[in-house]
Amino acid sequence: MKKSLSILAVLALGAGLLSGCGGSDEEGASGGQTTPDGKVKLTAIMTKHSLTQEFSKMEWLKKAEERAGVQIEWQEVSADWGQKKGALLAGGDIPDLIIGPNAITDADYAQFPGLFEDLTPLIAADAPNVQKMFDEKPETKAIATQLDGKIYGLPKYQRFWPETTTRQYINKKWLDNLGLKEPTNWDELYDVLVAFKEKDANGNGDPNDEIPMDFAPSGTGGFGAFMPTMLLGSEGITMTDNSGQGYFVEDGQVKNFFTDERYRDLVAFLHKCYAAGLISKEVFTQDYTKYQSVARGNGDTAAVGFTWGWEVTDRVGNTLAPQYESLAPLKKSADSAAKVTWSYDYNSLNYGVNMVSLASTAKNKDAAMKFINELYDPTVSMQVLFGSLGTNIKDNGDGSYSVLPPEDKAMDPGTWKWTSTWADNGPMYIADSLKLTLGTDMQSVGSQTKPLKAALDSIDKKKDVLPSMFIKYSVEDNNTMTLNNTAMLSLTMAKWAEWVTNGGVEDQWNEYLDNVKKTGLDKNIEIIQKYYDDYMSKN
C-alpha cells in the first residue's frame, strides 16, 4: 500500500499548490492580467492519468484556448489528489478552474460553501454548448444541479461506452499448453492458478516466471475497476460503478459489502490464493503503470495468467492479446445457487459528475466560461476524448470523423488515447448526432463483453442498481457521510490489504464488524436509503 504523507508533508505540499495557483494581484490570473496580445490569463489544475502527456503538447487544447481568448497556466496532477486537495481547499486560495472526474465532490461544495461559483447564470450568458447538452440530455442537468438549484460542477456525456468497465481475462494459450479447461467457479480457478504457478505455463523453459493472478492496485480511498471485488458478483452482489466505498443495492435495500459475509468469504479466498503464491507479490505496492507493464510480458512470452482490465489490447498489449480471452463471470462453487451478476457501470462510463468547477474568486469568470464552452463543443469534445484532429482523429471531409490507429504500431489504441489527451478524465459532450467511427479497441470491447452479457442482462435496474450519480444530498447529510466514510475506509482498506496478505479475516470478523459500526456506517446506509427511496419514487 502507498504510505500516507505526514501532516507536515501535506501542509507543505498544499503550500506549494497554493503558491502556484493563487498568488497576489500581480501574479497572473488571480489578478485578472492579460497577455501582451490580449489573452486573459487563467490558472487551472487538472487531475490526469499517469500516462497522459504534458498539456503543452496537445494541439486541440492550444486551439481551444486560442478560440476562447485565454492563456491557462496548468498544474497537472496524476497522483495523491485527495491529499493535495485537502490542503488546497482548507487554504481557500484555489485556481480559477479545477478539472477532472469528481475532482471536487458534492461533499466538498457542502464543506466549503462560497469557495465555488454557481454556474447557472454564466451558462446562460457564455456557454451555449453546455446549455445545448442540458437541452438534448436533460439528465446531465439533473446530475449537475444541487438541491438548492445551484450548479457548481458540470457533468459530461460520452455516449459510446458499454454497461461495465471491467472484463476478466485468462490466458487461453496457457490453458491449452497445460491441457486445462476454462474455470467456471472459484474452486476451478484456484486449481488453474496452481497449475499456472507450478508448471511452465508460458512454455519458455522457466517454471517460475509466471504470475498466476494480478489485479489493479487499490489505494486507501476505496475500490475501483479491474479489482477482484468483481468476484462479489459470484455471490449475488451487484456493484454499481465499481461500488468503490462498498455501497450497493439488493432488492431495493441499501447495503455495504464491507460488512457482508460474502465479502469476508471473498477475502478468505484471495488470502488462500496469496498464501499459495498465486497472486503477484507486488499487488499492493505497484502503481497502475507497473500493473499494466508487467502484463505486457516479454515479446510473445506472457507473464500473467488471469487478470482484469478494460480491453484486451489495453491490458496486455497488441502482441500478447491473441493469447487471451474474455471469461464469463464465475460461480462461487459448482453447487452454488447464488445468482451470478457483475458490476453495472453504464452511468459512470457515459456520464460524469463535477468534471469542471470554477472558483468564486476568479477575476475573469466570463473568460473562464468561454473556455469551458469550447470543451463542450462536440467536435472539440471528441478530441478531449480521443486526441487531436490530424494525429488521432481523421476528418473525412463529409461531416464525419474516424478515430485513427496509433502512430506507433506497437502501441495499443487505449494507451494511445490516454497518452495523447485527457481522455475520460475531461469535460465533454459527445452529441448523439456526431458521426464518429471508433477505433479497434472500442469496437472489440463489445465482443469482449459478450461473456458477461447474460449476467448484465439479468440485473434488475430498478431494485439492484444504486443510481449514485443522480442522487443529491443536503449539506448536512453530505458532511455526515463524508466524515463517516473517511473513518470507515481508513479501517476497511487497511484490513483488506492485511487480510489478503496475512490472513485472519475469519478470526477477526466479529471484532471488525463492531469497529466498522463505530465509524457511522449504519448512519450512512440510513441516509442513502432515504434518498434512494425518494429518488426511486419519482423515477
Side-chain angles (χ1 to χ4, degrees), residues 2-167:
K2 294 181 179 177
K3 295 182 178 179
S4 298
L5 294 173
S6 67
I7 294 176
L8 183 61
V10 171
L11 292 175
L13 185 57
L17 281 170
L18 297 179
S19 65
C21 295
S24 67
D25 283 353
E26 288 77 34
E27 294 180 336
S30 292
Q33 288 187 353
T34 58
T35 64
D37 59 354
K39 295 187 182 72
V40 175
K41 289 184 178 182
L42 300 174
T43 54
I45 284 180
M46 181 172 178
T47 59
K48 70 172 191 177
H49 196 284
S50 58
L51 292 174
T52 303
Q53 67 180 355
E54 294 86 356
F55 293 175
S56 61
K57 298 179 180 179
M58 297 180 186
E59 193 63 30
W60 71 264
L61 181 55
K62 295 177 186 177
K63 292 180 178 179
E65 291 185 28
E66 184 76 28
R67 286 191 297 271
V70 300
Q71 178 179 296
I72 301 178
E73 179 186 342
W74 290 100
Q75 289 198 43
E76 305 168 29
V77 178
S78 57
D80 301 321
W81 168 240
Q83 295 170 338
K84 296 171 183 176
K85 178 175 71 170
L88 185 67
L89 298 184
D93 188 8
I94 62 174
D96 298 324
L97 297 170
I98 298 180
I99 300 174
N102 215 22
I104 302 298
T105 67
D106 286 351
D108 295 327
Y109 298 137
Q111 187 176 356
F112 299 95
L115 203 54
F116 295 95
E117 186 73 11
D118 175 17
L119 301 177
T120 307
L122 295 170
I123 292 170
D126 294 306
N129 290 327
V130 175
Q131 186 59 54
K132 184 178 181 182
M133 176 180 69
F134 285 171
D135 293 340
E136 295 179 350
K137 292 290 178 182
E139 63 271 27
T140 60
K141 186 174 183 180
I143 291 170
T145 306
Q146 301 294 323
L147 289 180
D148 61 3
K150 294 181 178 179
I151 296 174
Y152 298 108
L154 293 178
K156 71 170 178 177
Y157 172 66
Q158 60 188 75
R159 170 183 165 193
F160 293 113
W161 266 240
E163 291 180 300
T164 188
T165 311
T166 302
R167 275 141 286 279

Side-chain angles (χ1 to χ4, degrees), residues 179-415:
L180 300 172
K181 296 181 180 179
E182 286 185 354
T184 61
N185 57 62
W186 292 5
D187 296 327
E188 292 177 358
L189 174 62
Y190 181 85
D191 291 340
V192 165
L193 296 177
V194 169
F196 284 173
K197 177 181 184 295
E198 295 181 348
K199 301 178 182 179
D200 184 19
N202 61 21
N204 69 342
D206 183 354
N208 300 312
D209 66 346
E210 288 85 359
I211 300 172
M213 181 198 295
D214 199 8
F215 51 84
S218 54
T220 57
F223 291 108
F226 320 140
M227 297 182 186
T229 42
M230 293 297 127
L231 293 176
L232 289 170
S234 305
E235 304 179 275
I237 293 178
T238 299
M239 295 186 296
T240 305
D241 305 330
N242 303 308
S243 293
Q245 297 177 324
Y247 298 101
F248 69 100
V249 170
E250 190 168 41
D251 196 22
Q253 294 299 306
V254 177
K255 302 179 180 181
N256 190 292
F257 64 65
F258 279 118
T259 57
D260 194 297
E261 291 184 354
R262 291 170 289 184
Y263 171 74
R264 178 200 64 190
D265 293 347
L266 171 61
V267 173
F269 171 72
L270 291 172
H271 171 64
K272 176 184 175 182
C273 293
Y274 190 90
L278 308 182
I279 298 176
S280 169
K281 293 299 182 183
E282 298 183 354
V283 75
F284 288 109
T285 58
Q286 64 187 353
D287 61 13
Y288 187 82
T289 302
K290 180 67 177 296
Y291 168 69
Q292 286 290 73
S293 64
V294 167
R296 304 299 171 101
N298 183 14
D300 60 359
T301 301
V304 177
F306 175 75
T307 189
W308 291 270
W310 163 250
E311 187 271 337
V312 68
T313 62
D314 176 75
R315 180 68 189 99
V316 299
N318 293 336
T319 301
L320 295 178
Q323 294 187 22
Y324 289 82
E325 61 185 0
S326 180
L327 191 63
L330 305 175
K331 296 176 65 175
K332 182 179 180 183
S333 62
D335 59 355
S336 173
K339 173 187 172 183
V340 177
T341 183
W342 198 251
S343 183
Y344 183 80
D345 312 325
Y346 179 84
N347 289 336
S348 65
L349 284 171
N350 288 282
Y351 299 91
V353 62
N354 301 331
M355 301 298 296
V356 54
S357 304
L358 175 63
S360 61
T361 54
K363 300 298 183 182
N364 290 288
K365 296 182 180 68
D366 56 345
M369 282 304 298
K370 288 177 182 178
F371 171 71
I372 290 172
N373 186 62
E374 283 293 322
L375 299 178
Y376 284 88
D377 176 272
T379 305
V380 176
S381 289
M382 72 177 181
Q383 297 176 79
V384 172
L385 185 54
F386 292 112
S388 297
L389 280 165
T391 53
N392 297 73
I393 301 173
K394 178 184 178 183
D395 184 343
N396 296 321
D398 58 0
S400 68
Y401 305 88
S402 301
V403 176
L404 293 169
E407 292 179 331
D408 180 356
K409 293 183 179 179
M411 183 180 288
D412 63 276
T415 300

